[in-house]
Amino acid sequence: MLRNYSVRTDLALEEKERFESDDVEVQGVVLEEDYDEEQELRVTRVEIRTENGAKAMGKPVGTYLTLETPNLAIPDDESHMNIAERLCGYIRELVRKNAGNKEGDLSVLVVGLGNREVTPDALGPYVADHLSVTRHIVKEYGKYAMGLEHADMISAIVPGVMGQTGMESTEIVRGIVKETHPDMVIAVDALAARNSKRLNRTVQIADTGIHPGSGIGNNRSGLTAESLGVPVIGIGVPTVVDAATIVNDTMENFIAALESSDSLKGVGEVLRSYNAGEKYEFVKELIAPHLNGMFVTPKDVDEMIHQISHTISEALNMLFTGYERQGSGTSQQA
Amino acid sequence: MLRNYSVRTDLALEEKERFESDDVEVQGVVLEEDYDEEQELRVTRVEIRTENGAKAMGKPVGTYLTLETPNLAIPDDESHMNIAERLCGYIRELVRKNAGNKEGDLSVLVVGLGNREVTPDALGPYVADHLSVTRHIVKEYGKYAMGLEHADMISAIVPGVMGQTGMESTEIVRGIVKETHPDMVIAVDALAARNSKRLNRTVQIADTGIHPGSGIGNNRSGLTAESLGVPVIGIGVPTVVDAATIVNDTMENFIAALESSDSLKGVGEVLRSYNAGEKYEFVKELIAPHLNGMFVTPKDVDEMIHQISHTISEALNMLFTGYERQGSGTSQQA
Amino acid sequence: MLRNYSVRTDLALEEKERFESDDVEVQGVVLEEDYDEEQELRVTRVEIRTENGAKAMGKPVGTYLTLETPNLAIPDDESHMNIAERLCGYIRELVRKNAGNKEGDLSVLVVGLGNREVTPDALGPYVADHLSVTRHIVKEYGKYAMGLEHADMISAIVPGVMGQTGMESTEIVRGIVKETHPDMVIAVDALAARNSKRLNRTVQIADTGIHPGSGIGNNRSGLTAESLGVPVIGIGVPTVVDAATIVNDTMENFIAALESSDSLKGVGEVLRSYNAGEKYEFVKELIAPHLNGMFVTPKDVDEMIHQISHTISEALNMLFTGYERQGSGTSQQA
Amino acid sequence: MLRNYSVRTDLALEEKERFESDDVEVQGVVLEEDYDEEQELRVTRVEIRTENGAKAMGKPVGTYLTLETPNLAIPDDESHMNIAERLCGYIRELVRKNAGNKEGDLSVLVVGLGNREVTPDALGPYVADHLSVTRHIVKEYGKYAMGLEHADMISAIVPGVMGQTGMESTEIVRGIVKETHPDMVIAVDALAARNSKRLNRTVQIADTGIHPGSGIGNNRSGLTAESLGVPVIGIGVPTVVDAATIVNDTMENFIAALESSDSLKGVGEVLRSYNAGEKYEFVKELIAPHLNGMFVTPKDVDEMIHQISHTISEALNMLFTGYERQGSGTSQQA
């Protein structure tokens, strides 16, 4: 109802849902969904294929894979491994798609975006912490000396946030990319979701990078192929909801409740007679300005961030060091 | 308006405000306020003197000192020192009041409550980190060997939270108190405020300890003279607001807006005709259950927590190691 | 040669070696050794059975199991799991032996000794960090509600070091034990080894607890059945060598070299003519007093501590949550 | 005596001492010393002016200022401020000397070298943590909007170590320098000293940057004007001694003792008859290969690193934000 009051989301999935509720088909956008009942794991693939589709979705042309499961933040070794293997498969798909004609080993810079000092924003740094970096070893000893046939050169950086460095993450990463010439960047970031139900149970993998205004700390300039000069795979997990979003959601519920309420039917009727613009004005007044710059996060966010970052770094380690449980290779593509 | 929908607050000040808006005077409760314009620093003293007052306020008999200033989280050395000296004075007042007949040096256990791993809940642990502990030195060498006439025996513990220890903080602290026999406990904790404007600019010092349900992690049993067997001074700083509170606040604003709106006057009239119970039912439905266990906090919470914890530990270090800027002793009592 | 110049070791194994080199059999002490060639894993069992044996060994009556393997600090998932399972088996043996007549579920307090802020001393705290604590859940919901037949009540504490708390670890832990009544304490600590070759590749498990003077920070009073009132299993990993030990070792080598050297045979002859006391005087002068309070540790100590603490907490989690890879149960006892 | 057995030192001061003991004057090298008795603070200025001097010293042409005081790691606010002001003055001298013709505000990138995870190597990262970065604010709002006449643009980066990033620190910093164009780099690093008495009481400031092989982690390529393209001021604090150095020192003492000993005079005479090469062979054998990659550090290294990093960041904040206690400006130059 208050759909015109646009609340930012970093998830293509949530952007898509916006349209679905209107039963509108968006041209140039293909949606596929796959649900694994046993693992309670839903994978949604949004392909934005044309500039028209991009315009309608407010997101650039590219592939957006979203994996949702209540098990993401659950400290169970078995589901942890299952999810890591699934993630590994999806990341591999986008990595290969964007590696161009390059055959053989890749050189990849993994960027852990976010602020290590603020728990829900520490996802990117924690993923970088657990990564097996290999670039220095391959450069010094060669892959054959390592006894490996397959040896991607993995490097990693935690650029910090602007309040710590005085620099945009994009400036730092662009400088390092120009100096060390990776074939590709994989950027990991904590995101803001629109729906609090999605927190800590969703991973989005996209080959369009990380965009301006994404993330908790509101990156002012994105990490994209355009800004860095190499393809950028973005891996994002919603770990917070903007405080303003929570308030907006409740307002929507409230107005819907008024409209459908038996006892307050009169109110609903009055409200229904006003247009979206009028309703928007109400909401704008109600979202106190001091809520800007505030976010909502679960109390056990520390355990969730530790668990999820571990799963993502495991997926990356599997992908780049070639380790994988036998027989699982083919089952990974949904 | 939705006052009957009770939202928990750890601040006596906010409890008092609840009544003020009704212009009710609460018997057995004395309120004094002092405002230092130059330092933009407001000190409120709530004394709950009788059981009736305690019942009305929903807080135990005791003294609650609240210091509010926008400078609390500002990284300015000068105001940092001023605030630390003020805090030192107020803590000293409550320490002396509760030291009983004990003259001379005190033995004090400082407890840093909260979860070091969740940024807005790390206040207590950070205060303990920066504390000058002296108990082991005084015990081994004596205060004269240290060249001091005045040497309180300060010890400190960070008990962790139940998800980390499997034990209640109260159990851990009670065991340590029984074993090491301090004269008094000072417990520092991050609190939940009702009003987001109060975040990171308020310190409450109370001689009633920390109560069940206080704090971000919802301590299930309090740290009080009753549970520990020695007086407990509680020092609390609101660093989060419950997500449910933010939503509730907005609802209040919304209903007030409907009531006063020209264009939607009809809605307001309908709403006004319903009683508090009916309105409460609406709100209860709207506060999604998944918001329980979520909190709202500012994006720069890391800097604020570092700054404020440093100020509090400085105040405690001043108090117990006897260091103080000359001439500031008398000006500290409001 | 300089054997009379006693260098402290926390490892019973090293104490035993002291005698072996003299081909002396120590009465009341039984030594068994087992070597698993495939896993490069040596397990030594020292049983001190009599007070005479205890006196000779300078360690109390009890069982000391030492597991040595170069793979301990190697970040390989497969050997990590193998070692964790072996450790789990040995810890279980000592836990059961010390559980007395108690059948069924145990209540165990795990104590992570050491200083989280000094990398090689952070082993104990890191083990506690990764532990699955269950006491609060079992207490609140019961083990059947958890869907488990077997549910030990695990609690954990990181007491900190005296410079942070002003209290002895023993005081803190004794208070908590008296308050929460565990059946047993398991204390994990980083140790000082006598031989730098043993660093980060050795785990000692003993049912005699942690003794005064053990550990990096030189615990002044031990964690033992005597001091805590319940059995104490100590798990220790040598992560540093005292600087004085390194120097002493080199002196021994030097003097041995002088004695055997062709070109400097004269020196050796002269030295041989002096007695142990005279030699000891030399060494004492040479070990500069400022080396006291210094330790030697590898540059990659951070990775080693992370890896080993993870393996130990995995072993404890396996033991207490009943998780274990099938078929591995019987192979664990050496 | 064992002078030919060269032990690496990062301190020009220690390099100089090597010669002094031989009463050799090194051409092209000027040494000035200044001792402040009241503050127990010794400042040594080594100016290497010619390539000959550089060759003799094994260090490049430039100015090396060394500040030594037992108070460096002592947690006393008064001496902390005094030392910070002295450091501020010396850093300013080298900054101005290397700023070339540039007048007015500078743009400076501070690099915190070292490994945050290994306590004695965390000095650089901790300094960066406490720095007031301003580049993003000046760039966005301008210095006049900040109400300042003097506003250097300060940025900061913690590049991590090669085992974490797979990249050389030099590659990372060079990329960032090329992208963000600072006028100068200030690199802060923990160093290895030759003499354990110098640990945590010495700061070296040099306008020659940080050189290959310096630091605890053995930077393989340096941070110098040559490698980065802008002047580099290096600030180093010795926080460890290589284990091999400790052993070597003791050997020297031992041989000296043998030579001067009455009772063992014979040994000394024998030793004296052998040449340096022969003695070197002994020592080489005695320094066990497993000591390579090990370092010696004090047990309270955590407190020292916190204290010293705070003092250095305070000095940099004073310098770049213009804050300074009145009247102290002129007294800073020795």
Side-chain angles (χ1 to χ4, degrees):
Chain A
M1 227 201 127
L2 286 168
R3 211 162 299 122
N4 290 322
Y5 177 73
S6 157
V7 175
R8 176 172 77 76
T9 175
D10 295 326
L11 296 173
L13 183 64
E14 291 191 332
E15 218 44 76
K16 193 69 186 54
E17 279 165 358
R18 196 159 61 91
F19 293 100
E20 269 156 45
S21 53
D22 287 346
D23 283 324
V24 176
E25 202 168 284
V26 187
Q27 274 222 307
V29 179
V30 177
L31 182 95
E32 279 174 34
E33 213 182 278
D34 182 80
Y35 185 64
D36 179 331
E37 210 157 323
E38 199 196 341
Q39 292 187 26
E40 295 179 84
L41 194 150
R42 181 182 311 278
V43 176
T44 313
R45 176 186 303 261
V46 177
E47 301 242 21
I48 304 183
R49 294 186 173 168
T50 65
E51 284 308 322
N52 272 349
K55 215 169 159 186
M57 293 285 288
K59 302 228 165 281
V61 168
T63 301
Y64 301 81
L65 299 169
T66 311
L67 185 152
E68 285 175 282
T69 170
N71 301 320
L72 187 60
I74 288 176
D76 173 78
D77 280 1
E78 192 65 23
S79 36
H80 163 74
M81 283 304 285
N82 283 333
I83 297 170
E85 281 174 4
R86 294 289 287 249
L87 282 175
C88 173
Y90 294 120
I91 301 168
R92 175 189 292 125
E93 178 192 335
L94 292 195
V95 164
R96 282 296 146 199
K97 181 184 148 201
N98 287 275
N101 294 323
K102 169 123 188 183
E103 282 182 26
D105 301 329
L106 286 173
S107 166
V108 177
L109 171 63
V110 177
V111 179
L113 292 168
N115 184 351
R116 189 189 285 284
E117 296 292 308
V118 174
T119 316
D121 201 19
L123 182 89
Y126 286 1
V127 168
D129 287 352
H130 293 115
L131 210 65
S132 296
V133 298
T134 56
R135 179 178 176 271
H136 58 307
I137 303 173
V138 176
K139 275 195 80 166
E140 181 141 7
Y141 304 104
K143 62 182 174 178
Y144 298 109
M146 291 169 73
L148 295 173
E149 272 181 64
H150 171 63
D152 296 312
M153 294 213 295
I154 306 306
S155 52
I157 191 78
V158 175
V161 294
M162 207 157 58
Q164 293 161 346
T165 64
M167 301 178 280
E168 300 257 4
S169 299
T170 310
E171 294 178 291
I172 295 171
V173 177
R174 187 167 46 221
I176 296 173
V177 165
K178 283 186 188 167
E179 197 65 32
T180 63
H181 308 294
D183 298 313
M184 191 179 296
V185 163
I186 295 181
V188 186
D189 202 3
L191 303 179
R194 188 157 62 192
N195 187 331
S196 63
K197 286 178 196 157
R198 205 153 260 136
L199 291 186
N200 297 318
R201 43 179 290 162
T202 311
V203 183
Q204 174 177 277
I205 309 163
D207 59 2
T208 56
I210 301 284
H211 284 272
S214 299
I216 293 176
N218 284 320
N219 313 300
R220 298 198 311 186
S221 60
L223 260 61
T224 61
E226 207 180 346
S227 66
L228 298 186
V230 295
V232 183
I233 312 282
I235 301 178
V237 177
T239 64
V240 303
V241 176
D242 277 341
T245 305
I246 293 278
V247 167
N248 190 66
D249 286 354
T250 316
M251 296 307 307
E252 288 199 42
N253 293 343
F254 183 50
I255 292 173
L258 287 179
E259 287 178 352
S260 67
S261 157
D262 274 347
S263 58
L264 283 179
K265 213 164 199 167
V267 184
E269 269 159 32
V270 175
L271 271 172
R272 229 186 332 266
S273 69
Y274 296 96
N275 63 28
E278 284 165 326
K279 286 168 195 159
Y280 174 73
E281 283 309 305
F282 275 127
V283 173
K284 218 180 67 175
E285 277 168 34
L286 300 170
I287 296 179
H290 60 269
L291 281 187
N292 290 329
M294 296 217 177
F295 60 74
V296 180
T297 199
K299 281 176 189 173
D300 56 353
V301 62
D302 56 327
E303 288 166 36
M304 291 189 171
I305 295 291
H306 277 291
Q307 176 66 26
I308 300 174
S309 63
H310 200 63
T311 303
I312 294 176
S313 55
E314 197 89 344
L316 291 169
N317 287 340
M318 276 180 197
L319 176 55
F320 293 123
T321 64
Y323 166 73
E324 212 166 320
R325 282 199 293 187
Q326 252 186 336
S328 63
T330 51
S331 66
Q332 279 167 18
Q333 260 64 229
Chain B
M1 224 201 128
L2 287 167
R3 211 162 298 125
N4 291 321
Y5 177 73
S6 155
V7 175
R8 176 172 74 77
T9 175
D10 295 326
L11 296 174
L13 183 64
E14 292 192 331
E15 219 42 78
K16 193 69 186 52
E17 279 165 358
R18 195 156 61 91
F19 292 99
E20 267 156 49
S21 52
D22 289 346
D23 283 324
V24 176
E25 201 169 285
V26 188
Q27 273 222 307
V29 179
V30 176
L31 181 96
E32 277 175 36
E33 214 182 277
D34 181 78
Y35 185 63
D36 179 332
E37 210 158 323
E38 199 195 340
Q39 292 186 25
E40 296 179 84
L41 194 149
R42 181 182 312 278
V43 176
T44 313
R45 177 186 301 262
V46 177
E47 301 242 20
I48 304 182
R49 293 186 173 168
T50 64
E51 284 307 322
N52 272 348
K55 214 170 160 188
M57 293 285 287
K59 301 228 164 283
V61 168
T63 302
Y64 301 81
L65 299 169
T66 312
L67 185 151
E68 284 175 284
T69 170
N71 301 320
L72 187 60
I74 288 176
D76 173 78
D77 280 1
E78 193 65 22
S79 37
H80 162 76
M81 283 304 286
N82 283 334
I83 297 169
E85 281 174 3
R86 294 289 287 251
L87 281 175
C88 174
Y90 295 121
I91 300 168
R92 176 190 292 123
E93 180 193 334
L94 293 195
V95 164
R96 283 296 146 199
K97 182 183 148 203
N98 287 275
N101 294 322
K102 168 122 189 184
E103 281 183 25
D105 301 330
L106 286 173
S107 166
V108 176
L109 171 63
V110 177
V111 179
L113 292 169
N115 185 351
R116 187 189 287 284
E117 297 290 309
V118 175
T119 315
D121 201 18
L123 182 89
Y126 286 1
V127 168
D129 287 351
H130 292 116
L131 210 66
S132 296
V133 297
T134 55
R135 179 177 176 272
H136 58 307
I137 303 173
V138 175
K139 276 196 81 166
E140 180 139 7
Y141 303 105
K143 61 181 174 179
Y144 298 109
M146 290 170 72
L148 294 173
E149 272 182 63
H150 171 64
D152 295 312
M153 294 214 295
I154 306 307
S155 51
I157 191 78
V158 175
V161 294
M162 208 157 58
Q164 294 161 346
T165 65
M167 300 179 280
E168 300 256 3
S169 299
T170 310
E171 294 178 291
I172 295 171
V173 178
R174 185 165 50 220
I176 297 172
V177 165
K178 283 186 187 167
E179 196 67 31
T180 63
H181 308 294
D183 299 313
M184 191 178 297
V185 163
I186 294 181
V188 185
D189 202 2
L191 302 179
R194 188 157 63 191
N195 188 331
S196 64
K197 286 179 198 158
R198 205 153 259 135
L199 291 186
N200 297 318
R201 44 179 292 161
T202 311
V203 183
Q204 174 176 279
I205 309 163
D207 59 0
T208 56
I210 301 284
H211 284 273
S214 299
I216 292 175
N218 283 319
N219 313 301
R220 300 198 309 189
S221 60
L223 260 61
T224 62
E226 207 180 346
S227 66
L228 299 185
V230 296
V232 183
I233 312 282
I235 301 179
V237 177
T239 64
V240 303
V241 176
D242 277 342
T245 305
I246 293 277
V247 168
N248 190 65
D249 286 354
T250 316
M251 296 308 306
E252 288 201 40
N253 294 344
F254 183 51
I255 292 173
L258 287 179
E259 287 178 352
S260 67
S261 156
D262 274 346
S263 58
L264 282 179
K265 214 164 198 166
V267 183
E269 269 159 31
V270 174
L271 272 172
R272 231 186 329 270
S273 69
Y274 296 97
N275 62 27
E278 286 166 325
K279 285 169 196 159
Y280 173 74
E281 284 306 307
F282 274 127
V283 174
K284 219 179 69 173
E285 278 167 31
L286 300 170
I287 297 179
H290 61 269
L291 282 187
N292 290 330
M294 296 217 178
F295 60 74
V296 180
T297 199
K299 282 175 188 173
D300 56 354
V301 61
D302 57 328
E303 289 165 35
M304 292 191 170
I305 294 291
H306 277 291
Q307 177 64 26
I308 300 174
S309 63
H310 199 63
T311 303
I312 293 176
S313 55
E314 198 87 343
L316 291 168
N317 288 339
M318 277 179 195
L319 177 54
F320 293 122
T321 65
Y323 164 74
E324 211 166 321
R325 279 199 293 187
Q326 252 186 337
S328 64
T330 52
S331 66
Q332 280 167 19
Q333 258 64 228
Chain C
M1 222 203 132
L2 287 168
R3 211 164 295 125
N4 291 322
Y5 177 71
S6 156
V7 176
R8 175 172 75 76
T9 175
D10 295 324
L11 296 173
L13 183 65
E14 292 191 332
E15 221 40 81
K16 192 69 187 52
E17 279 165 357
R18 195 157 61 90
F19 293 99
E20 269 158 46
S21 52
D22 287 346
D23 284 321
V24 175
E25 201 168 288
V26 188
Q27 274 222 307
V29 179
V30 176
L31 181 94
E32 277 174 36
E33 214 182 276
D34 181 80
Y35 185 64
D36 179 331
E37 208 158 325
E38 198 195 342
Q39 292 187 26
E40 296 178 84
L41 194 149
R42 180 182 314 276
V43 176
T44 314
R45 176 185 302 260
V46 177
E47 301 241 20
I48 304 182
R49 294 188 172 165
T50 64
E51 284 307 323
N52 273 349
K55 213 170 159 187
M57 292 285 287
K59 302 230 164 280
V61 168
T63 302
Y64 301 81
L65 300 169
T66 311
L67 184 152
E68 285 176 282
T69 170
N71 301 319
L72 186 61
I74 288 176
D76 173 78
D77 280 1
E78 193 65 22
S79 35
H80 162 76
M81 283 304 286
N82 284 333
I83 297 169
E85 282 174 3
R86 294 289 286 251
L87 282 175
C88 173
Y90 295 121
I91 301 169
R92 175 189 293 124
E93 179 192 335
L94 293 196
V95 163
R96 283 297 146 198
K97 180 183 149 203
N98 287 276
N101 294 323
K102 168 123 188 183
E103 283 184 23
D105 300 330
L106 286 173
S107 166
V108 177
L109 171 63
V110 177
V111 178
L113 292 168
N115 184 352
R116 188 188 287 286
E117 297 291 309
V118 174
T119 315
D121 201 19
L123 182 88
Y126 287 0
V127 168
D129 287 352
H130 293 116
L131 211 66
S132 296
V133 297
T134 56
R135 179 179 175 271
H136 57 307
I137 303 173
V138 176
K139 276 195 80 167
E140 181 140 6
Y141 304 104
K143 62 181 173 179
Y144 298 110
M146 289 170 73
L148 295 173
E149 273 182 63
H150 171 64
D152 295 313
M153 294 214 296
I154 306 306
S155 52
I157 191 78
V158 175
V161 295
M162 208 156 57
Q164 294 161 347
T165 64
M167 300 178 281
E168 301 255 4
S169 298
T170 310
E171 293 178 293
I172 295 171
V173 177
R174 186 164 50 219
I176 296 172
V177 165
K178 283 186 188 166
E179 197 65 33
T180 62
H181 308 294
D183 298 314
M184 189 179 295
V185 162
I186 294 181
V188 185
D189 202 2
L191 302 179
R194 188 157 63 192
N195 187 332
S196 63
K197 286 180 199 157
R198 205 153 259 137
L199 290 187
N200 297 318
R201 44 180 292 164
T202 311
V203 183
Q204 175 177 278
I205 309 163
D207 60 0
T208 56
I210 301 284
H211 283 272
S214 300
I216 293 175
N218 283 321
N219 313 300
R220 299 199 308 188
S221 60
L223 259 63
T224 62
E226 207 179 347
S227 66
L228 298 186
V230 296
V232 182
I233 312 282
I235 300 178
V237 176
T239 64
V240 303
V241 175
D242 277 342
T245 305
I246 292 279
V247 167
N248 190 67
D249 286 355
T250 316
M251 295 308 306
E252 288 200 40
N253 293 344
F254 184 51
I255 291 172
L258 286 179
E259 288 179 351
S260 67
S261 156
D262 273 348
S263 59
L264 283 180
K265 215 162 195 165
V267 183
E269 268 159 34
V270 174
L271 272 173
R272 232 187 329 268
S273 69
Y274 296 95
N275 62 26
E278 286 165 324
K279 285 170 197 160
Y280 174 73
E281 282 310 305
F282 274 126
V283 174
K284 218 179 67 173
E285 277 168 35
L286 300 171
I287 297 181
H290 60 270
L291 282 188
N292 290 329
M294 296 216 179
F295 60 75
V296 180
T297 198
K299 283 177 188 172
D300 56 354
V301 62
D302 56 328
E303 288 165 35
M304 291 191 171
I305 295 291
H306 278 291
Q307 177 66 26
I308 300 173
S309 63
H310 200 63
T311 303
I312 294 175
S313 55
E314 198 88 343
L316 291 169
N317 288 339
M318 276 179 196
L319 177 54
F320 293 122
T321 65
Y323 166 74
E324 211 168 318
R325 279 198 293 185
Q326 254 186 334
S328 64
T330 52
S331 66
Q332 278 167 19
Q333 259 65 228
Chain D
M1 225 203 129
L2 287 168
R3 211 164 299 126
N4 290 321
Y5 177 72
S6 158
V7 176
R8 178 171 74 76
T9 174
D10 295 324
L11 295 174
L13 183 64
E14 292 191 331
E15 218 45 74
K16 192 69 187 54
E17 280 165 358
R18 196 157 60 90
F19 292 99
E20 268 157 49
S21 54
D22 287 346
D23 284 322
V24 175
E25 201 168 288
V26 187
Q27 272 224 306
V29 179
V30 176
L31 181 94
E32 277 174 37
E33 213 181 278
D34 181 79
Y35 186 63
D36 178 332
E37 209 157 326
E38 198 195 340
Q39 292 188 25
E40 295 179 84
L41 193 149
R42 181 181 313 278
V43 176
T44 313
R45 177 187 301 260
V46 177
E47 301 242 20
I48 303 182
R49 293 186 173 168
T50 64
E51 284 307 323
N52 272 348
K55 214 168 158 188
M57 293 285 286
K59 302 230 166 280
V61 168
T63 302
Y64 302 80
L65 300 170
T66 310
L67 184 152
E68 285 176 283
T69 170
N71 301 319
L72 186 61
I74 288 176
D76 173 77
D77 280 0
E78 193 64 22
S79 36
H80 163 75
M81 283 303 286
N82 283 334
I83 297 169
E85 282 174 3
R86 295 288 288 249
L87 282 175
C88 173
Y90 294 121
I91 300 169
R92 175 190 291 123
E93 179 192 334
L94 292 195
V95 164
R96 282 296 146 199
K97 181 183 149 204
N98 287 275
N101 293 323
K102 168 125 188 181
E103 283 184 24
D105 301 330
L106 287 173
S107 167
V108 177
L109 171 63
V110 177
V111 179
L113 292 168
N115 184 352
R116 188 190 286 285
E117 296 291 309
V118 175
T119 315
D121 202 19
L123 182 88
Y126 287 0
V127 167
D129 286 353
H130 293 115
L131 210 66
S132 296
V133 297
T134 55
R135 179 177 176 272
H136 58 308
I137 304 173
V138 175
K139 275 196 79 166
E140 180 140 8
Y141 303 105
K143 62 182 174 179
Y144 297 109
M146 289 169 75
L148 295 173
E149 272 181 63
H150 172 64
D152 295 313
M153 293 214 296
I154 305 307
S155 52
I157 192 78
V158 175
V161 295
M162 207 156 58
Q164 295 161 346
T165 65
M167 301 178 281
E168 300 257 2
S169 299
T170 309
E171 294 178 292
I172 295 171
V173 177
R174 186 166 49 220
I176 297 172
V177 165
K178 282 186 189 167
E179 197 65 32
T180 63
H181 308 294
D183 299 314
M184 191 178 295
V185 162
I186 295 181
V188 185
D189 202 2
L191 302 180
R194 188 158 62 191
N195 188 332
S196 63
K197 287 179 196 157
R198 206 154 258 136
L199 290 186
N200 298 317
R201 44 179 293 162
T202 310
V203 184
Q204 174 176 279
I205 310 163
D207 58 2
T208 55
I210 301 285
H211 282 272
S214 299
I216 293 176
N218 284 318
N219 312 301
R220 299 198 309 187
S221 60
L223 261 61
T224 61
E226 206 179 347
S227 66
L228 299 186
V230 296
V232 182
I233 313 282
I235 301 179
V237 177
T239 64
V240 303
V241 177
D242 277 342
T245 305
I246 292 278
V247 168
N248 190 66
D249 285 356
T250 315
M251 295 309 305
E252 289 200 41
N253 293 343
F254 183 51
I255 291 172
L258 287 178
E259 286 179 352
S260 67
S261 155
D262 274 349
S263 59
L264 284 179
K265 216 165 194 164
V267 183
E269 269 158 33
V270 174
L271 272 173
R272 232 189 325 272
S273 68
Y274 296 96
N275 63 26
E278 286 166 324
K279 286 168 196 160
Y280 174 74
E281 283 308 306
F282 275 126
V283 173
K284 218 178 66 171
E285 277 168 35
L286 300 170
I287 297 180
H290 61 271
L291 282 188
N292 290 329
M294 296 216 179
F295 60 76
V296 180
T297 198
K299 282 177 190 175
D300 56 354
V301 62
D302 57 328
E303 289 166 35
M304 292 191 170
I305 295 291
H306 277 291
Q307 177 66 25
I308 300 174
S309 63
H310 200 63
T311 303
I312 293 176
S313 55
E314 197 88 343
L316 291 169
N317 288 339
M318 276 180 194
L319 178 55
F320 293 122
T321 65
Y323 166 74
E324 210 166 323
R325 280 197 296 186
Q326 253 186 337
S328 63
T330 51
S331 65
Q332 280 167 17
Q333 260 61 233

